[in-house]
Amino acid sequence: MNRLQDVGDGSVALAMAGGRLSVRLSRRGLLASGLMLAASLVFVLLSLTSGDYAITPGDVVRVLAGGGDDMLRLVVLEWRLPRACLAVVLGMALGISGAIFQSLTRNPLGSPDIMGFSVGSYTGVLIVMLVFSGGYAETSVGALVGGIGTAAAIYLLTWRRGVDGFRLVVVGIGVAAMLSAANVWLIRKADLQVAISAAQWAAGSLNGLGREQLAATSFCLLLLLPAVFVLSRPMRQLELGQAVAVASGVLPERTRLFLALVGVALVAVVTATAGPIAFVALAAPQLARRLSRSAGALLLPSALMGGLLLVMADWAAQHALGFQLPVGIMTFNIGGLYFLWLLASDGRK
Amino acid sequence: MTGNRLQAHAVTLRYGERTVVQDLSVTIPDGSFTVIVGPNACGKSTLLKALSRLLAPRQGEIVLDGANIRSLPTKEVARRLGLLPQTPLAPDGITVVDLVARGRYPHQSLFRQWSATDRQAVAEAMAVTGISDLAGEPVDQLSGGQRQRVWIAMVLAQETPLLLLDEPTTFLDIAHQIELLDLLAGLNTAGRTVVAVLHDLNQACRYATHLIAMHKGTIVAEGPPSVAISEELVATVFGLPALIIPDPVTGTPLIVPRNPVRRGSGLTVPADVLSQDGARP
Ligand SMILES: Nc1ncnc2c1ncn2[C@@H]1O[C@H](COP(=O)(O)OP(=O)(O)O)[C@@H](O)[C@H]1O
Ligand SMILES: [Mg+2]
């Protein structure tokens, strides 16, 4: 009962279940999504075959088909595959979160890493490490509470009979600056061992993460996904401005609040798992938007681009330089390139 | 009068502590082309925002089809009443057809995001506004007149029996203004109730079947243009001494300002230049 129809403006309409389910998709967006998916697969495969223990693509296929010796299975299934998948999942979460905040703030800089949520997570982590001498689990909780608390504070500080996008960014940057200062002060109070693990956390890394984290983050993401789907249409309508959005039947304050909640939850999950990973949330939606030539933020392409960026960055962090880097450092560099590219492409306009 | 779909009952409209409209009641006659006129900052946009539930009255209520507009589900309201605000925002790079399609929002749902009805409504709206050829163009590369027609098409695609427009003719040259007003008049004849804020009194008198004149947040005159408009009204509301004669084309009131051009009054042109028969150097 599926029906695919050309709308004639570069998009196709897909009708399923006798028209009870129907969507309109842009060809260019579909093509871009397909490309990003394929590229992500390539990098996942690359991650499986790179490393000290040599594995060929043939080995990978054999393992995935259920064969291979124990060592091979251990390396592929227990070590490398979970980490690569985790990179994709976390990157997707960051991509969606970035798209949400850039749409909310109508600003390409309105991304969770610029707006201080991860700085707040770091504050939470530092407090946990200093006061409770916590391990991985406690640190994650600290990051979660710190990030969400910071977001709530920013939201409340911005609120003036409604939340204005630009003010949200400005308040966010201000809060981030203050919390950074607090973090420096906290680190100076800490003894060396704690300061070192804090710095390690702050770099953002997937080292040592595997199945457990993949299961936990995938679960969180699956919980948030329905909300993302429901909110994506009113989100795009809000891009037409408050007046048009209201006139076409959107409840703006409620939509914004839920969007902010989902966006914060997504980035909080990532930060709690791997520490702050900069720039993916910032760059993914913009790159995805340009690749799919769409207007406004698109959640699915942003998610795919986020996944691609992070799996790429994590592969590069592990293998590109001959020594291991935390992936957060790698994404920082990608972020720098992204800004240069943005300046260059804006300069051409 | 109670049968009319859209009414304001004794509404007080404020921004913060600033009261713009106090205790105002108005009825939009069904099937009318209602035009709201008045000097700048008298509260025309504010009234339109209230009528389209963008601004909640501090007192009184807006009534749509006999119910308080705030008690109705917002999507239900959006299927009955459309609004084109004064300065709508187009996302960067959005194409014409994509923007027009956004008008379909209240008719769609999570599972039914694009139906044959949507496609038809969008195509019709673009045909009526004469922008079918522009479908794939980015909105930010169009001329002001084309862009305005795209926005009108977006509200038309919403297929609401009531249509509210705030200064739809600003930024358009005179030919495009007339074209747009003709389009709205056509929609009105085809059965829609149209409410528009207009600046040009003569255009208002030509096109309105019902005229509402506002001054300092109150309605000072209301009715068919020939009844509502008078020399005293133009003098008090706009502070403009004017002569009113029948429009030679339509017979509707035509407002002709009486002020002769008073050269030299407060202008920086030297008096000796003007004294030479008013000729410019
Ligand atoms: N968002 C706002 N916040 C505060 N004051 C406003 C706002 N919008 C309009 N006003 C004020 O309300 C008055 C009426 O404005 P408006 O209804 O836009 O006038 P009009 O459309 O007749 O030119 C003006 O004095 C204006 O300054
Ligand atoms: Mg106005």
Side-chain angles (χ1 to χ4, degrees), chain A residues 225-287:
Chain A
L225 231 42
V228 169
F229 274 119
V230 172
L231 289 168
S232 71
R233 288 172 59 260
M235 180 185 96
R236 285 168 66 68
Q237 207 68 9
L238 272 175
E239 289 167 3
L240 303 173
Q242 172 98 354
V244 173
V246 173
S248 60
V250 171
L251 295 167
E253 293 313 332
R254 191 187 296 181
T255 305
R256 282 205 194 95
L257 179 64
F258 282 122
L259 277 170
L261 283 176
V262 171
V264 168
L266 285 166
V267 77
V269 167
V270 176
T271 313
T273 309
I277 294 175
F279 285 113
V280 174
L282 181 76
Q286 295 296 322
L287 294 173

Side-chain angles (χ1 to χ4, degrees), chain A residues 109 279 282-283 287 290 331-349:
Chain A
L109 291 182
F279 285 113
L282 181 76
L287 294 173
R290 283 173 168 81
T331 58
F332 236 97
N333 289 320
I334 295 178
L337 290 177
Y338 165 73
F339 271 116
L340 285 179
W341 170 76
L342 204 62
L343 282 173
S345 65
D346 260 12
R348 255 183 277 126
K349 246 197 277 176

Side-chain angles (χ1 to χ4, degrees), chain A residues 5-7 9 13-14 19-24 106 161 229-230 233-234 236-237 239-244 246-251 289 293-296, chain B residues 16 52-54 74-75 78 81 83 85 88-94 97-99 101-103 105-106 108-115 119 151 154 158:
Chain A
Q5 201 171 41
D6 199 328
V7 181
D9 59 317
L14 175 65
R20 276 190 302 276
L21 269 171
S22 57
V23 286
R24 182 163 146 258
R106 313 181 126 270
R161 267 181 286 114
F229 274 119
V230 172
R233 288 172 59 260
R236 285 168 66 68
Q237 207 68 9
E239 289 167 3
L240 303 173
Q242 172 98 354
V244 173
V246 173
S248 60
V250 171
L251 295 167
R289 192 168 81 80
R293 294 227 187 100
S294 75
Chain B
S52 54
R53 72 173 167 343
L54 250 65
T74 181
K75 269 196 165 180
L81 185 153
L83 168 78
L89 290 167
D92 277 352
I94 193 168
V97 69
D98 216 6
L99 185 58
R102 302 275 180 106
Y105 182 82
Q108 298 165 334
S109 69
L110 182 60
F111 300 109
R112 277 188 70 120
Q113 300 193 356
W114 188 252
S115 66
R119 186 159 44 94
W151 280 109
M154 191 210 69
Q158 205 170 325

Side-chain angles (χ1 to χ4, degrees), chain B residues 15 18 20 38-47 49 86 166-167 197:
Chain B
Y15 297 105
R18 180 195 172 124
V20 176
N40 287 333
C42 72
K44 304 180 295 294
S45 298
T46 304
L47 176 60
K49 281 186 217 163
Q86 212 164 341
D166 198 350
E167 298 194 19
V197 173

